[in-house]
Amino acid sequence: RAFQTWGSLRCGGLVAWTGKTWEKLSEHIVDGVVHATASNATALFIGGAFSKIGSLAAHGVAMLDNNTGEWVALGDVSGGTVNTLVAQGAEVYIGGRFSAIGGEPIARLARWDGKRWYSLGVVDGEVHAIALHGATLFIGGDFSSAGGIPTSNLAAYRSGVWSSPGGLNRPVYSLARIRACLYIG
């Protein structure tokens, strides 16, 4: 279970820094662990190992609408957990160790277009990290193929095509993009 307080603030697993103070995001308590957060211009997305936010059934992935202040479930993740996510525009990508989302057999990696989830192909192991570098989606984890392409723990997806940017001898746990560089940890 995640932290429930920040000092004297009862926050239920999520807090926000305003630049001056820490504040809770909403009155709703997450009943598990939040592993990842990402945002776009209109929402905060969370992924992890949880099944409810307040009274809302939200298994593994949810969105806090910045306009309404309401939580929205984005389809139930089953068979595991969401480890990582990234948002760009209306699209959200999630990765982890799961076997289905929204009742569809979409495993380990998925893309949300604002209405539904899509598979990006089969990844044969756990996804720990995701980063967008321009129009290319990079995933890192503990796997040996992505979309049928042999690769060691790091893969790239662009315009519906998977590629191997080079193999790593151990799992990848973090990815970050700063300007033209992709950092791998």
Side-chain angles (χ1 to χ4, degrees):
R1 196 165 164 107
F3 63 90
Q4 296 299 302
T5 60
W6 181 266
S8 62
L9 182 67
R10 187 166 186 263
C11 56
L14 289 168
V15 293
W17 176 248
T18 67
K20 294 182 182 179
T21 62
W22 290 100
E23 295 183 2
K24 60 183 170 181
L25 291 178
S26 72
E27 296 300 318
H28 304 291
I29 305 297
V30 178
D31 77 341
V33 178
V34 176
H35 292 291
T37 60
S39 64
N40 62 17
T42 62
L44 171 72
F45 300 91
I46 64 171
F50 53 85
S51 59
K52 286 176 34 174
I53 302 172
S55 62
L56 176 70
H59 295 269
V61 63
M63 173 187 82
L64 178 62
D65 186 309
N66 288 344
N67 296 319
T68 66
E70 296 296 320
W71 284 100
V72 178
L74 298 181
D76 291 341
V77 171
S78 58
T81 186
V82 174
N83 295 333
T84 182
L85 55 86
V86 65
Q88 182 173 321
E91 294 186 326
V92 178
Y93 298 87
I94 65 169
R97 183 186 69 248
F98 52 87
S99 57
I101 184 163
E104 298 293 323
I106 300 172
R108 300 182 190 96
L109 181 66
R111 178 180 65 89
W112 172 259
D113 70 356
K115 295 182 177 139
R116 63 176 286 236
W117 290 102
Y118 296 89
S119 173
L120 299 178
V122 175
V123 178
D124 72 348
E126 189 166 356
V127 176
H128 296 297
I130 299 175
L132 283 163
H133 193 294
T136 303
L137 176 76
F138 286 90
I139 64 168
D142 190 2
F143 52 83
S144 60
S145 73
I149 303 297
T151 188
S152 295
N153 305 313
L154 182 67
Y157 182 83
R158 183 181 178 104
S159 301
V161 178
W162 283 101
S163 63
S164 176
L168 298 162
N169 67 337
R170 297 274 188 226
V172 171
Y173 291 99
S174 63
L175 296 170
R177 185 194 134 230
I178 300 174
R179 294 188 203 95
C181 292
L182 179 69
Y183 296 88
I184 303 168

